Amino acid sequence: DLVVSGANRSFIDRSESIALRENSMNARRIAPKHSLGEAVGASALWQGIVAAQAVGSCQATPALSPVLGFNHQASAALIMAA
């Protein structure tokens, strides 16, 4: 299992870590924003692409892509192979 983290080295990282820990998510975590940087409006898309690539290449199944925003929105996508 894999979590494609939305961590961007801001206060949001702590909230995401707590939520994953409280829900027993012991999956591997990667944070594409640490390498790609923040892309307002496109960051969630990058996370989805990374998750889909991981599942498509059999590196992970399933992959969770949580998205937390500065305007207090929260969403997630669970990507699985068909």
mmCIF file of all heavy atoms in Angstrom, residues 51-52 54-63 78-82:
data_model
loop_
_atom_site.group_PDB
_atom_site.id
_atom_site.type_symbol
_atom_site.label_atom_id
_atom_site.label_comp_id
_atom_site.label_asym_id
_atom_site.label_seq_id
_atom_site.Cartn_x
_atom_site.Cartn_y
_atom_site.Cartn_z
ATOM 1 N N ALA A 51 0.254 8.561 -8.054
ATOM 2 C CA ALA A 51 -0.446 7.378 -7.545
ATOM 3 C C ALA A 51 -0.821 6.429 -8.680
ATOM 4 O O ALA A 51 -0.621 5.213 -8.574
ATOM 5 C CB ALA A 51 -1.696 7.803 -6.774
ATOM 6 N N ALA A 52 -1.341 6.957 -9.772
ATOM 7 C CA ALA A 52 -1.729 6.111 -10.910
ATOM 8 C C ALA A 52 -0.517 5.415 -11.518
ATOM 9 O O ALA A 52 -0.594 4.233 -11.892
ATOM 10 C CB ALA A 52 -2.445 6.954 -11.963
ATOM 11 N N ALA A 54 2.231 4.593 -9.915
ATOM 12 C CA ALA A 54 2.669 3.556 -8.970
ATOM 13 C C ALA A 54 1.799 2.309 -9.094
ATOM 14 O O ALA A 54 2.307 1.187 -9.108
ATOM 15 C CB ALA A 54 2.635 4.085 -7.541
ATOM 16 N N VAL A 55 0.494 2.498 -9.208
ATOM 17 C CA VAL A 55 -0.414 1.352 -9.347
ATOM 18 C C VAL A 55 -0.219 0.700 -10.714
ATOM 19 O O VAL A 55 -0.141 -0.525 -10.827
ATOM 20 C CB VAL A 55 -1.879 1.776 -9.134
ATOM 21 C CG1 VAL A 55 -2.844 0.668 -9.517
ATOM 22 C CG2 VAL A 55 -2.095 2.199 -7.679
ATOM 23 N N GLY A 56 -0.122 1.513 -11.761
ATOM 24 C CA GLY A 56 0.035 0.986 -13.118
ATOM 25 C C GLY A 56 1.315 0.197 -13.319
ATOM 26 O O GLY A 56 1.365 -0.735 -14.113
ATOM 27 N N SER A 57 2.356 0.557 -12.589
ATOM 28 C CA SER A 57 3.631 -0.161 -12.724
ATOM 29 C C SER A 57 3.794 -1.251 -11.666
ATOM 30 O O SER A 57 4.886 -1.771 -11.487
ATOM 31 C CB SER A 57 4.800 0.827 -12.641
ATOM 32 O OG SER A 57 4.835 1.417 -11.355
ATOM 33 N N CYS A 58 2.706 -1.555 -10.970
ATOM 34 C CA CYS A 58 2.668 -2.606 -9.946
ATOM 35 C C CYS A 58 3.600 -2.337 -8.769
ATOM 36 O O CYS A 58 4.025 -3.256 -8.083
ATOM 37 C CB CYS A 58 2.958 -3.969 -10.552
ATOM 38 S SG CYS A 58 1.779 -4.440 -11.820
ATOM 39 N N GLN A 59 3.927 -1.075 -8.528
ATOM 40 C CA GLN A 59 4.744 -0.729 -7.372
ATOM 41 C C GLN A 59 3.884 -0.588 -6.125
ATOM 42 O O GLN A 59 4.405 -0.620 -5.015
ATOM 43 C CB GLN A 59 5.510 0.567 -7.619
ATOM 44 C CG GLN A 59 6.542 0.435 -8.708
ATOM 45 C CD GLN A 59 7.260 1.752 -8.947
ATOM 46 O OE1 GLN A 59 7.331 2.597 -8.072
ATOM 47 N NE2 GLN A 59 7.788 1.921 -10.134
ATOM 48 N N ALA A 60 2.583 -0.427 -6.312
ATOM 49 C CA ALA A 60 1.670 -0.287 -5.182
ATOM 50 C C ALA A 60 0.260 -0.616 -5.638
ATOM 51 O O ALA A 60 -0.105 -0.374 -6.782
ATOM 52 C CB ALA A 60 1.687 1.129 -4.630
ATOM 53 N N THR A 61 -0.487 -1.199 -4.741
ATOM 54 C CA THR A 61 -1.909 -1.384 -4.968
ATOM 55 C C THR A 61 -2.583 -1.596 -3.634
ATOM 56 O O THR A 61 -2.236 -2.522 -2.921
ATOM 57 C CB THR A 61 -2.227 -2.541 -5.933
ATOM 58 O OG1 THR A 61 -3.616 -2.584 -6.140
ATOM 59 C CG2 THR A 61 -1.709 -3.874 -5.491
ATOM 60 N N PRO A 62 -3.437 -0.786 -3.213
ATOM 61 C CA PRO A 62 -3.868 0.462 -3.832
ATOM 62 C C PRO A 62 -2.963 1.619 -3.428
ATOM 63 O O PRO A 62 -2.045 1.440 -2.644
ATOM 64 C CB PRO A 62 -5.258 0.660 -3.241
ATOM 65 C CG PRO A 62 -5.151 0.080 -1.862
ATOM 66 C CD PRO A 62 -4.213 -1.106 -2.012
ATOM 67 N N ALA A 63 -3.274 2.809 -3.968
ATOM 68 C CA ALA A 63 -2.562 4.032 -3.589
ATOM 69 C C ALA A 63 -3.588 5.069 -3.156
ATOM 70 O O ALA A 63 -4.575 5.299 -3.847
ATOM 71 C CB ALA A 63 -1.733 4.567 -4.748
ATOM 72 N N LEU A 78 -8.657 7.095 -3.903
ATOM 73 C CA LEU A 78 -8.067 5.764 -3.732
ATOM 74 C C LEU A 78 -7.941 5.177 -5.123
ATOM 75 O O LEU A 78 -8.946 4.955 -5.806
ATOM 76 C CB LEU A 78 -8.941 4.887 -2.843
ATOM 77 C CG LEU A 78 -8.413 3.481 -2.582
ATOM 78 C CD1 LEU A 78 -7.073 3.558 -1.845
ATOM 79 C CD2 LEU A 78 -9.413 2.678 -1.780
ATOM 80 N N ILE A 79 -6.720 4.944 -5.561
ATOM 81 C CA ILE A 79 -6.467 4.448 -6.912
ATOM 82 C C ILE A 79 -6.099 2.973 -6.821
ATOM 83 O O ILE A 79 -5.202 2.598 -6.072
ATOM 84 C CB ILE A 79 -5.353 5.267 -7.583
ATOM 85 C CG1 ILE A 79 -5.873 6.673 -7.832
ATOM 86 C CG2 ILE A 79 -4.942 4.652 -8.908
ATOM 87 C CD1 ILE A 79 -5.095 7.743 -7.258
ATOM 88 N N MET A 80 -6.843 2.159 -7.593
ATOM 89 C CA MET A 80 -6.630 0.709 -7.589
ATOM 90 C C MET A 80 -6.604 0.207 -9.028
ATOM 91 O O MET A 80 -7.199 0.808 -9.901
ATOM 92 C CB MET A 80 -7.752 0.019 -6.814
ATOM 93 C CG MET A 80 -7.800 0.446 -5.375
ATOM 94 S SD MET A 80 -9.197 -0.128 -4.371
ATOM 95 C CE MET A 80 -9.819 -1.543 -5.139
ATOM 96 N N ALA A 81 -5.936 -0.913 -9.233
ATOM 97 C CA ALA A 81 -5.915 -1.529 -10.574
ATOM 98 C C ALA A 81 -7.266 -2.162 -10.843
ATOM 99 O O ALA A 81 -7.947 -2.638 -9.943
ATOM 100 C CB ALA A 81 -4.807 -2.573 -10.644
ATOM 101 N N ALA A 82 -7.642 -2.162 -12.102
ATOM 102 C CA ALA A 82 -8.938 -2.740 -12.504
ATOM 103 C C ALA A 82 -8.897 -4.242 -12.483
ATOM 104 O O ALA A 82 -7.927 -4.872 -12.604
ATOM 105 C CB ALA A 82 -9.325 -2.250 -13.885
#
